[in-house]
């Protein structure tokens, strides 16, 4: 069994979350924004599993939540790409800054 | 040695994630995202979740990355080399991301998890004789491990755990997402 401290998993998850947040905020292309969101969700998954494994070994909740997060992330990716393709068909761009006709 | 491999995997994951969100070519972005997902799957293995690690490879490396590559191919004209990859909020985004990570790290260092060096040794169940007889568990160096697949299946589907309804409901969510994605992406809207 490894003896890596719990906080190192938490640090890794925090850094991945920050990287994903940077991608969501800074990228122009909508697909890159989607990649950033996937990275943030995965950082959360690492946190769930780390706490489940290190705090209560027999806990069911952490892995079960990871299963649900993975499922919902997959559904979200499919719907988001459908929206991006639809936007591209109407506006001929995948740039999130150009799709502002709901701004009012 | 085991620990060194973990830090190598973590470094590869973070580097691939950074590359996936800074490289201009979107196909390279998707491939770097696949590498990052492989790394996260390795981290899951370090957390003794064999089934979730394989699910991570199947869904993220196998499905989500391929879907993203399809999306990139279908929205192709963003691939020209002239346009910048970042929008005008680039510096502000760096500041926000670094600040957020710093806040989370500071919160971790304030938290009760920080002091204990090896919290894993505190909570691992040691093998008792009746537990070691269970069909889905195996013993490695005095610690009891459970087979990930049957463990998770029991966790999800046994009614006394309370996740069975959510498990069935999320399948309805998947079906509606499937139908919704097809409806949204249709050429002639309904």
């Amino acid at each position: 069994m490894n003896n890596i401290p719990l906080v190192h998993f938490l640090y890794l998850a925090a850094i991945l979350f920050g990287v994903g947040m940077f991608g969501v905020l800074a990228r122009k292309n909508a697909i890159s924004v989607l990649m950033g969101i996937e990275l943030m969700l995965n950082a959360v998954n690492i946190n769930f599993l780390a706490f489940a494994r290190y705090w209560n070994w027999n806990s069911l909740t952490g892995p079960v939540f990871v299963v649900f997060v993975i499922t919902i992330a997959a559904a979200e990716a499919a719907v988001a790409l459908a929206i991006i393709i639809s936007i591209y068909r109407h506006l001929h761009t995948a740039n999130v800054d150009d799709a502002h006709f709901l701004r009012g | 040695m085991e620990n060194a491999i973990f830090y190598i995997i973590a470094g590869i994951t973070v580097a691939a994630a950074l590359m996936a969100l800074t490289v201009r070519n979107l196909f390279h972005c998707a491939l770097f995202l696949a590498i990052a997902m492989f790394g996260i799957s390795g981290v899951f293995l370090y957390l003794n979740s064999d089934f979730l690690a394989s699910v991570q490879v199947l869904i993220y490396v196998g499905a989500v990355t391929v879907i993203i590559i399809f999306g990139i191919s279908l929205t192709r004209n963003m691939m020209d080399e002239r346009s910048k990859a970042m929008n005008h909020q680039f510096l502000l985004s760096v500041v926000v991301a670094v600040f957020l990570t710093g806040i989370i790290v500071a919160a971790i260092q304030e938290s009760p998890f920080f002091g204990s060096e090896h919290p894993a040794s505190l909570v691992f169940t040691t093998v008792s004789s009746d537990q070691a007889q269970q069909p889905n568990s195996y013993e490695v160096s005095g610690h009891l491990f459970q087979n990930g697949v049957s463990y998770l299946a029991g966790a999800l589907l046994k009614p006394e755990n309370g996740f069975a309804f959510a498990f069935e409901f999320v399948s309805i969510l998947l079906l509606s997402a499937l139908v919704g994605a097809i409806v949204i992406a249709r050429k002639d809207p309904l």
Side-chain angles (χ1 to χ4, degrees), chain B residues 7-68:
Chain B
Y7 295 116
I8 290 169
I9 289 175
I12 289 174
T13 307
V14 172
L18 265 177
M19 293 290 281
L21 295 175
T22 49
V23 168
R24 182 184 296 162
N25 190 330
L26 274 176
F27 276 108
H28 297 173
C29 289
L31 296 179
F32 277 118
L33 186 76
I35 295 174
M37 294 305 172
F38 261 122
I40 290 171
S41 155
V43 174
F44 282 6
L45 283 180
Y46 267 84
L47 290 166
N48 288 93
S49 306
D50 47 357
F51 176 66
L52 284 176
S54 52
V55 162
Q56 178 84 7
V57 174
L58 272 176
I59 294 189
Y60 279 105
V61 183
V64 170
T65 306
V66 171
I67 283 182
I68 283 175

Side-chain angles (χ1 to χ4, degrees), chain A residues 29-32 34 76-96 99 101, chain B residues 64 66-78 180-189:
Chain A
N29 195 298
I31 297 174
S32 299
L34 182 66
E76 171 250 333
V79 174
L81 275 163
I83 292 172
I84 290 168
I85 289 171
S86 183
I87 286 176
Y88 179 77
R89 191 172 287 143
H90 284 99
L91 303 180
H92 301 285
T93 178
N95 187 345
V96 282
F101 50 83
Chain B
V64 170
V66 171
I67 283 182
I68 283 175
I69 288 176
F70 266 115
I72 294 167
S73 311
L74 288 172
T75 59
R76 187 166 252 287
N77 75 347
M78 291 301 289
I182 293 172
V183 168
I184 290 171
R186 269 169 66 108
K187 189 156 281 180
D188 46 340

